[in-house]
Amino acid sequence: MRLAAAVAALLAALICDADAASYRTRQKMLTELSGVFGGLHFIRRTCGPGNETDVWRERMKQLVRLEDPSATQREAMIEAFNTAYRDARRRFPDCTAEAANRAASLAADGERLTEALRADL
């Protein structure tokens, strides 16, 4: 009987550890995705078609609404968005081939993160 209880306790601890690791991984991916959105928000406003002026900011707002993160996670996501926006503004003040390449790279990162987050559900 004691062995069964010990095994049950061990399994419960492992499940909790796995859940905590999965949770931390998801939060990290959400923060990364927020940064992708911030970088794209600046670059696509500079280099993209005129109808993309606020697409990435709106997607960020939608992500926060859908995820309904804790206050700490929400702050981390918003900070990642704003930091990436400022970095892109500093690095790419004009629409150049380098800026367009960075936007394509960010879009690929965003697609990868989005697929991983969907798979995690």
Side-chain angles (χ1 to χ4, degrees), residues 7 37 41 61 67 81 85 94 104 108 112-113:
V7 169
F37 285 177
H41 181 56
K61 288 179 183 178
E67 284 295 324
F81 180 94
Y85 179 91
D94 300 309
R112 175 187 53 80
L113 287 163

Side-chain angles (χ1 to χ4, degrees), residues 64-111:
V64 170
R65 271 194 309 272
L66 291 172
E67 284 295 324
D68 192 24
S70 68
T72 302
Q73 179 60 29
R74 183 179 185 279
E75 288 174 19
M77 291 168 68
I78 291 169
E79 181 61 27
F81 180 94
N82 290 336
T83 298
Y85 179 91
R86 286 188 298 269
D87 288 349
R89 183 177 60 197
R90 182 181 39 77
R91 286 181 61 195
F92 308 110
D94 300 309
C95 184
T96 62
E98 184 182 6
N101 288 338
R102 180 64 180 148
S105 176
L106 285 170
D109 289 346
E111 188 172 329

